[in-house]
Amino acid sequence: MEQTPIIIVNVKTYLESTGPRAVAMARLMGTLASETKASLVIAVQPSDISACVALGRLPVYAQHIDPMPPGSCTGWVLPEAVKAAGAVGTLINHSEHRLRLADIDACITRANAVGLTSVVCTNNVATSKAAAGLLPSMIAIEPPELIGGDISVTTADPRIVSDSVKAVKSVAPGVKVLCGAGVKTGEDVTAAGRLGADGVLLASGVVKAKDQEKVLRDLIAGLR
Ligand code: G3P
């Protein structure tokens, strides 16, 4: 599993981070990770995994996997396929791709089987606690109503972060807890650490930034 504290940039399906632009962002993040020794990860669309991995400078995650068996299944994201493309981890149950509990459990099992770090996204303290019982590698608490907004979860609702950390650690002390939604600055990253989080998961603050390098450097500074 990747080192924490960690910054995971989920590029989602933004055109600003699709195809060659996903590779450009991975190249920038890889350069900054090498320079600063910060633990950075990019989560990209399936079609962009291998090109980002080929840069050889940054761990790459999938944004989703399906717990389908190899064989006659059409249009699903096979865990073995993202592993073969070079991904080292995957998001599971992002609020923009919600799964049933049984499917989350099956995805974690398959991620473990093929050797992928699993980051299960949750929306409140109760789901964070429930997900902890499934023993993913990490949990990322992200209140959906704050996603894409300008106010960080660490400001808008710090208790959901600290309470999720307590709840997860009470069930599975080894599971790392990240937070996300509205995270934009190094101050937000520092605040996340003060609340007990092992890192952050973010998207628009980097993807939509005019100066992505400037934003990434500020976020990295917040890890200190
Ligand atoms: O996966 C992280 C994402 O849901 C957070 O989005 O744009 O608020 O950083 P954003």
Side-chain angles (χ1 to χ4, degrees):
M1 180 168 68
E2 290 52 62
Q3 287 297 311
T4 54
I6 192 169
I7 296 172
I8 302 178
V9 178
N10 171 17
V11 302
K12 300 192 176 182
T13 56
Y14 287 111
L15 289 180
E16 296 90 330
S17 47
T18 292
R21 299 171 82 177
V23 178
M25 186 174 300
R27 184 176 291 109
L28 170 61
M29 290 178 65
T31 300
L32 292 174
S34 302
E35 178 194 318
T36 64
K37 306 296 178 240
S39 181
L40 305 181
V41 168
I42 190 169
V44 299
Q45 298 174 77
S47 50
D48 293 327
I49 291 173
S50 48
C52 291
V53 168
L55 298 172
R57 310 182 61 187
L58 186 74
V60 178
Y61 282 13
Q63 295 175 7
H64 169 78
I65 55 171
D66 291 295
M68 312 305 284
S72 60
C73 298
T74 302
W76 301 92
V77 180
L78 197 68
E80 288 80 358
V82 301
K83 181 69 176 179
V88 294
T90 184
L91 305 183
I92 297 170
N93 191 51
H94 191 279
S95 67
E96 293 149 2
H97 198 141
R98 274 277 180 254
L99 300 175
R100 294 172 305 182
L101 187 60
D103 292 330
I104 297 169
D105 183 36
C107 284
I108 294 168
T109 301
R110 292 291 300 282
N112 290 338
V114 302
L116 292 171
T117 299
S118 52
V119 181
V120 172
C121 299
T122 57
N123 60 309
N124 59 31
V125 177
T127 56
S128 299
K129 189 168 187 176
L134 303 177
L135 298 178
S137 312
M138 303 188 211
I139 280 171
I141 171 69
E142 288 197 312
E145 68 278 8
L146 296 175
I147 290 175
D150 292 325
I151 305 175
S152 169
V153 60
T154 56
T155 304
D157 191 355
R159 283 291 303 271
I160 203 169
V161 178
S162 52
D163 287 353
S164 287
V165 171
K166 288 192 195 88
V168 168
K169 301 298 183 184
S170 70
V171 172
V175 173
K176 303 293 186 184
V177 181
L178 313 181
C179 65
V183 172
K184 297 271 189 298
T185 67
E187 269 177 45
D188 298 335
V189 174
T190 302
R194 288 205 186 105
L195 292 166
D198 299 299
V200 296
L201 175 60
L202 74 156
S204 56
V206 174
V207 173
K208 310 288 273 185
K210 285 193 178 53
D211 186 339
Q212 292 178 342
E213 179 174 348
K214 185 173 176 220
V215 170
L216 283 165
R217 286 187 181 278
D218 181 41
L219 291 164
I220 291 166
L223 288 175
R224 303 282 179 267

